[in-house]
Amino acid sequence: MCSSFEPHDDFVAPDNPVERALLGGEPRYRKAEVARLAGVELSRAERLWQAMGFAHVAPEAVVFTDFDVDAMRTVDKLVSAEVIPPELETAVARSLAQTMSRLAEWQLGIFKAVLGDTFATDIETTAEVAEAILPVMENLQGYVWRRHLSAIAARELDEADTGPEEPTVVVGFADIVGYTRLVRDYSERELARLIDDFEDLVTRVIAENHGRIVKTVGDEVLFVADTVRDGAEIALSLNENVAREPDLPPLRIGLAHGTVLARFGDVYGSTVNIASRLTTLARPSSVLVDRECAAGLRPESGFVLTSLGPNKVSGFRGLRAWALRRSE
């Protein structure tokens, strides 16, 4: 399946009112004209355009609007004001694009579901609905963004005096068991419903137990928590909630505790890799934790840890794991 970040054929100018409505104006400029009007070098404009995941544009193609010029000027101003370091502008553009691309695909799916056959057969009506809905969706996105920004800022301010540059957190992976078989056996509608139910459940459980979702990738969710107890509660509650849902397959979950590199909304490092490896070792409906998680949970009440000894895992020699469950 082709993702929006894979290369496509050259863009052509929008030839229907739906695209014009979504772009916010008529295409007026070639890419060299956008760069000139924004006051940036063409090579830099092309690099940012590609970092945002958009297809190559031929020099003579007139596909850009005033919004493109304004966006390029905005990026240049942020870099000039040192809000975005020059060496990070491409990474920032890429991270923003990946988030927005997924959001746009989800929103278009809703748009098509609401309009039904009208989406493909009545272009004028579709364009009118798009123009009416777009400002509402932009306002809602702004509200959600501000709320998340406020919550993250508050957390960072609370940790400013004691938090290290590389934070210490619990990293967890939750993986749907038998997902490959489900993809083969389920219809697209059934698979979509399964993924929706899975994401709804994990979002609720993780939020209720003071965790944060880093990302979801189809059959898997990556989350973090600030304490080993919160991480353990999330993992065990996920399995308990899934067990009460007859239509959801069981999960495998791995937890690891340690420092991570937090970058553009994602997390990296050996702690993340260990949590991922433990997930592959876990049995259905079970939770495996690493040495650091186990050490942090031993003083906590309500949990039982069972050592499974060292495991042969690629990249981690003698990785030790403990099975986690609630005490009777």
Side-chain angles (χ1 to χ4, degrees):
M1 181 173 65
C2 178
S3 76
S4 57
F5 287 91
E6 294 173 344
H8 301 280
D9 294 333
D10 287 355
F11 266 141
V12 295
D15 59 357
N16 69 64
V18 175
E19 290 178 87
R20 290 195 294 271
L22 295 175
L23 286 173
E26 292 284 348
R28 300 175 56 191
Y29 308 112
R30 298 176 177 85
K31 60 183 179 182
E33 294 168 331
V34 172
R36 177 176 56 80
L37 290 170
V40 303
E41 293 183 1
L42 177 58
S43 59
R44 180 184 174 197
E46 289 183 316
R47 185 172 64 252
L48 288 170
W49 177 258
Q50 292 171 0
M52 287 186 284
F54 299 128
H56 172 69
V57 177
E60 67 277 6
V62 180
V63 298
F64 299 103
T65 71
D66 290 321
F67 281 94
D68 294 294
V69 177
D70 290 342
M72 194 62 63
R73 285 175 178 157
T74 299
V75 172
D76 187 50
K77 288 178 181 178
L78 290 173
V79 173
S80 298
E82 299 183 348
V83 175
I84 299 176
E87 67 273 14
L88 290 183
E89 69 173 7
T90 302
V92 170
R94 183 170 57 248
S95 179
L96 179 64
Q98 290 171 351
T99 301
M100 291 294 103
S101 174
R102 185 179 180 193
L103 178 64
E105 289 183 5
W106 169 76
Q107 289 171 337
L108 186 61
I110 292 178
F111 195 50
K112 291 170 65 177
V114 169
L115 288 174
D117 293 339
T118 300
F119 179 82
T121 60
D122 189 341
I123 301 300
E124 294 294 336
T125 299
T126 300
E128 291 176 4
V129 174
E131 289 181 334
I133 289 179
L134 203 60
V136 179
M137 297 181 77
E138 285 180 332
N139 287 337
L140 180 59
Q141 287 172 193
Y143 161 75
V144 175
W145 170 69
R146 284 181 177 272
R147 272 290 175 184
H148 276 292
L149 192 61
S150 173
I152 294 170
R155 185 170 66 248
E156 292 293 327
L157 289 170
D158 287 341
E159 298 173 353
D161 294 334
T162 58
E165 185 176 347
E166 291 188 346
T168 300
V169 295
V170 176
V171 177
F173 279 93
D175 179 51
I176 296 176
V177 174
Y179 183 74
T180 302
R181 177 182 56 79
L182 295 175
V183 170
R184 183 179 65 246
D185 296 343
Y186 277 30
S187 67
E188 289 188 5
R189 185 182 296 272
E190 290 172 329
L191 188 61
R193 186 168 58 248
L194 170 70
I195 295 300
D196 286 344
D197 291 344
F198 169 65
E199 292 188 350
D200 180 67
L201 186 147
V202 298
T203 300
R204 173 173 51 82
V205 170
I206 291 171
E208 287 174 349
N209 291 281
H210 315 293
R212 302 178 296 282
I213 291 179
V214 176
K215 61 185 175 183
T216 57
V217 184
D219 61 326
E220 189 172 63
V221 60
L222 168 60
F223 62 90
V224 295
D226 293 326
T227 69
V228 289
R229 185 171 189 90
D230 287 342
E233 284 291 344
I234 290 170
L236 294 172
S237 296
L238 281 173
N239 277 337
E240 291 161 358
N241 278 265
V242 166
R244 291 193 288 267
E245 298 291 336
D247 295 330
L248 283 178
L251 305 179
R252 279 187 288 256
I253 301 176
L255 297 177
H257 185 228
T259 59
V260 296
L261 171 63
R263 180 178 170 86
F264 300 122
D266 209 338
V267 289
Y268 305 88
S270 61
T271 304
V272 179
N273 294 337
I274 289 171
S276 177
R277 298 296 193 276
L278 290 173
T279 304
T280 63
L281 294 173
R283 293 180 179 180
S285 303
S286 72
V287 179
L288 294 187
V289 304
D290 73 338
R291 185 193 307 272
E292 284 70 25
C293 265
L297 287 170
R298 287 192 185 97
E300 300 282 346
S301 61
F303 304 111
V304 174
L305 293 159
T306 304
S307 176
L308 303 182
N311 295 271
K312 293 182 179 181
V313 179
S314 176
F316 292 92
R317 189 173 182 179
L319 176 64
R320 294 187 63 85
W322 282 258
L324 172 68
R325 61 180 178 84
R326 294 195 190 278
S327 58
E328 298 298 334

